[in-house]
């Protein structure tokens, strides 16, 4: 986008010299270039600020000391609301909310995003992958900065979901963050530069809104969150989309560029792991953040290496996949062998890295488990966007 604007500025300047409009076109292109530059500077400043706050405990501990007492008081006050809501329960509802809650977590996105890449939606898959990385890292970081407890299950709140997520802190609800942000981004993805949206039906918009409300209600119903967790999760989701949307095209152009993308992304991933805030007690939030940081690292490396992510490749895949029944057959034909390849690559690398790391005596400050997790999940991301696509090409599927 920004390169095109600058190119248009130069072309327009040369063409319109004879028409006497050189000054106007140059000014318009210059303003567009300045606007884009300021946007990029703002993005980098925001990221740097977040990392600096997380990197230095003296900074985020002040935030924790200020916010945590208020959050704990809100959770205590809303306990009666959660208990009252849970009076309308049923075993079938328990199962429904448990199953649907899986569609908002890290495991689901790691499974679903390959489907987008393999079905030919390459651009959308790239955009959504980076957004999910932002959501998972930011949401879990805020949780471990504030360290707000979940509803008190000893005071009558019924805990239905007793998985790993129950071991995390509560505020904000990352299920709410992930769901609201992805639904909102799906609706806003194809807005053009003039602000005109693609043809979104009222039914589609209502369905997305209904799904978000369903997930938000389910988190309270399952005893996993208080209303304050869900409400603040909603605000965090909107903030993440508002922040990411203006920069999504710049990030995508960078992924497809020929610059030193692998080096930058590797250093950035290690910086994110190092700067993750320390909670009051260990929770799985850090593992979730490291896992998806690794997935993004692998995807970035695979896209940089592969030539199968341009517009021509995307249009070719859309052409051969067809629609309707043929699209279903195409998806299954690719998804099954692709998933098997990803699982095999993950197991091989996990075994190899685990064996190598067991032979090395690392210093105490070196988090070998986090690095091992980063490499394993980077293998997953890399396999999705390069070896899997090459396998499809060889198999003719």
């Amino acid at each position: 986008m920004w390169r095109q604007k600058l190119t248009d500025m130069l072309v327009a300047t040369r063409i319109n010299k004879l028409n006497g409009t050189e000054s106007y076109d140059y000014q318009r292109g210059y303003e567009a270039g300045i606007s884009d530059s300021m946007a990029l500077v703002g993005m980098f400043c925001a990221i740097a600020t977040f990392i600096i706050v997380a990197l230095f405990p003296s900074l985020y501990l002040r935030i924790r000391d200020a916010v945590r007492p208020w959050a704990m008081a809100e959770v205590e006050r809303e306990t009666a609301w959660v208990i009252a809501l849970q009076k309308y329960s049923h075993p079938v509802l328990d199962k429904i909310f448990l199953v649907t809650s899986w569609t908002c977590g890290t495991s689901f996105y790691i499974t679903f995003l390959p489907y987008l890449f393999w079905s030919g939606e390459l651009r959308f898959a790239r955009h959504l992958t980076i957004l999910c990385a932002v959501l998972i890292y930011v949401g879990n970081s805020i949780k471990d900065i504030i360290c707000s407890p979940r509803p008190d299950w000893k005071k009558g709140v019924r805990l239905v979901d007793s998985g790993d997520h129950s071991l995390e802190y509560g505020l904000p609800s990352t299920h709410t963050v992930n769901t609201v942000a992805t639904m909102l981004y799906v609706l806003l993805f194809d807005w053009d530069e003039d602000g005109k949206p693609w043809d979104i039906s009222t039914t589609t918009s209502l369905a997305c809104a209904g799904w978000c409300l369903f997930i938000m209600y389910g988190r309270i119903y399952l005893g996993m969150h208080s209303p304050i967790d869900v409400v603040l999760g909603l605000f965090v989701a909107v903030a993440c989309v508002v922040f990411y949307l203006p920069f999504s095209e710049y990030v995508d152009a960078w992924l497809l560029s020929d610059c030193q993308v692998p080096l930058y992304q590797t250093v950035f991933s290690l910086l994110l792991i190092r700067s993750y805030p320390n909670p009051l007690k260990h929770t799985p939030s850090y593992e979730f953040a490291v896992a998806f940081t690794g997935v993004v690292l692998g995807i970035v490396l695979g896209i940089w290496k592969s030539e199968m992510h341009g517009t021509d490749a995307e249009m070719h895949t859309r052409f051969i996949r067809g629609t309707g029944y043929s699209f279903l057959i195409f998806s299954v034909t690719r998804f099954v062998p692709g998933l098997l390849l990803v699982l095999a690559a993950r197991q091989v690398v996990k075994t190899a890295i685990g064996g190598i790391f067991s032979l090395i005596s690392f210093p105490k400050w070196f988090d070998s488990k986090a690095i091992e997790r980063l490499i394993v999940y980077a293998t997953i991301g890399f396999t999705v966007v390069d070896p899997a696509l090459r396998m499809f090409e060889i198999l003719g599927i």
Side-chain angles (χ1 to χ4, degrees), residues 258-280:
D258 295 326
C259 61
Q260 300 298 322
V261 174
L263 176 61
Y264 297 144
Q265 188 62 34
T266 301
V267 172
F268 185 58
S269 298
L270 294 174
L271 179 60
L272 289 177
I273 292 176
R274 175 63 183 85
S275 63
Y276 191 88
N278 294 317
L280 293 175

Side-chain angles (χ1 to χ4, degrees), residues 15-123:
I15 292 177
N16 292 317
K17 280 184 177 180
L18 298 178
N19 299 331
T21 58
E22 176 182 353
S23 177
Y24 171 75
D25 287 326
Y26 179 84
Q27 181 180 358
R28 185 173 62 177
Y30 176 78
E31 290 175 354
I34 291 296
S35 176
D36 289 347
S37 299
M38 293 302 295
L40 289 173
V41 170
M43 178 184 69
F44 288 126
C45 288
I47 294 174
T49 301
F50 186 89
I51 291 177
I52 290 173
V53 170
L55 190 60
F56 296 99
S58 59
L59 296 177
Y60 68 74
L61 286 178
R62 295 182 181 180
I63 299 175
R64 179 183 298 168
D65 292 341
V67 178
R68 188 168 186 264
W70 167 81
M72 294 176 66
E74 285 296 312
V75 172
E76 178 70 22
R77 184 175 68 86
E78 294 172 356
T79 298
W81 299 1
V82 179
I83 294 174
L85 184 147
Q86 288 186 325
K87 289 181 178 179
Y88 305 96
S89 61
H90 191 278
V92 175
L93 283 178
D94 294 354
K95 293 293 184 182
I96 291 175
F97 283 123
L98 279 173
V99 171
T100 53
S101 67
W102 180 77
T103 64
C104 319
T106 305
S107 299
F108 171 77
Y109 290 121
I110 292 176
T111 306
F112 174 69
L113 289 171
Y115 173 79
L116 289 179
F117 280 105
W118 297 340
S119 63
E121 298 297 330
L122 301 177
R123 176 171 169 264

Side-chain angles (χ1 to χ4, degrees), residues 94-360:
D94 294 354
K95 293 293 184 182
I96 291 175
F97 283 123
L98 279 173
V99 171
T100 53
S101 67
W102 180 77
T103 64
C104 319
T106 305
S107 299
F108 171 77
Y109 290 121
I110 292 176
T111 306
F112 174 69
L113 289 171
Y115 173 79
L116 289 179
F117 280 105
W118 297 340
S119 63
E121 298 297 330
L122 301 177
R123 176 171 169 264
F124 180 56
R126 292 192 301 268
H127 282 241
L128 195 59
T129 298
I130 301 301
L131 175 64
C132 288
V134 173
L135 300 175
I136 291 171
Y137 190 90
V138 170
N140 285 291
S141 294
I142 295 175
K143 274 187 176 182
D144 283 349
I145 286 176
I146 299 176
C147 297
S148 173
R150 293 189 182 273
D152 194 340
W153 303 313
K154 297 179 181 179
K155 295 185 177 181
V157 175
R158 186 174 67 102
L159 175 63
V160 182
D161 186 358
S162 58
D164 289 343
H165 288 288
S166 64
L167 303 176
E168 299 176 89
Y169 289 107
L171 188 147
S173 166
T174 46
H175 281 68
T176 299
V177 173
N178 297 340
T179 303
V180 173
T182 51
M183 290 296 100
L184 184 59
Y185 193 70
V186 166
L187 295 177
L188 299 176
F189 176 66
D190 271 334
W191 281 45
D192 61 25
E193 293 183 0
D194 296 326
K196 298 177 181 178
W198 59 297
D199 187 17
I200 307 173
S201 67
T202 303
T203 304
T204 302
S205 300
L206 291 176
C208 291
W211 179 252
C212 293
L213 292 174
F214 179 81
I215 293 297
M216 294 162 68
Y217 175 84
R219 301 313 291 165
I220 302 175
Y221 175 92
L222 294 173
M224 293 292 288
H225 288 287
S226 300
I228 188 64
D229 302 337
V230 172
V231 171
L232 288 185
L234 174 63
F235 281 105
V236 172
V238 174
C240 286
V241 173
V242 169
F243 169 78
Y244 176 68
L245 195 62
F247 310 118
S248 57
E249 292 294 345
Y250 298 101
V251 176
D252 193 54
W254 180 73
L255 292 179
L256 298 174
S257 68
D258 295 326
C259 61
Q260 300 298 322
V261 174
L263 176 61
Y264 297 144
Q265 188 62 34
T266 301
V267 172
F268 185 58
S269 298
L270 294 174
L271 179 60
L272 289 177
I273 292 176
R274 175 63 183 85
S275 63
Y276 191 88
N278 294 317
L280 293 175
K281 65 177 182 179
H282 175 75
T283 71
S285 297
Y286 178 59
E287 280 76 14
F288 296 149
V290 172
F292 214 87
T293 300
V295 169
V296 172
L297 173 60
I299 287 177
V300 169
L301 296 179
I303 291 175
W304 177 82
K305 177 182 179 297
S306 176
E307 70 282 354
M308 303 182 191
H309 290 272
T311 304
D312 292 341
E314 184 168 1
M315 295 304 295
H316 174 70
T317 305
R318 289 183 178 182
F319 174 76
I320 63 175
R321 78 186 183 191
T323 58
Y325 182 73
S326 62
F327 174 69
L328 178 62
I329 298 298
F330 175 84
S331 300
V332 173
T333 304
R334 281 194 162 194
F335 188 77
V336 173
L339 185 60
L340 292 175
L341 178 64
V342 169
L343 293 176
R346 175 184 179 274
Q347 190 58 45
V348 169
V349 172
K350 183 177 182 180
T351 302
I353 293 297
I356 294 172
F357 277 21
S358 65
L359 301 175
I360 303 174

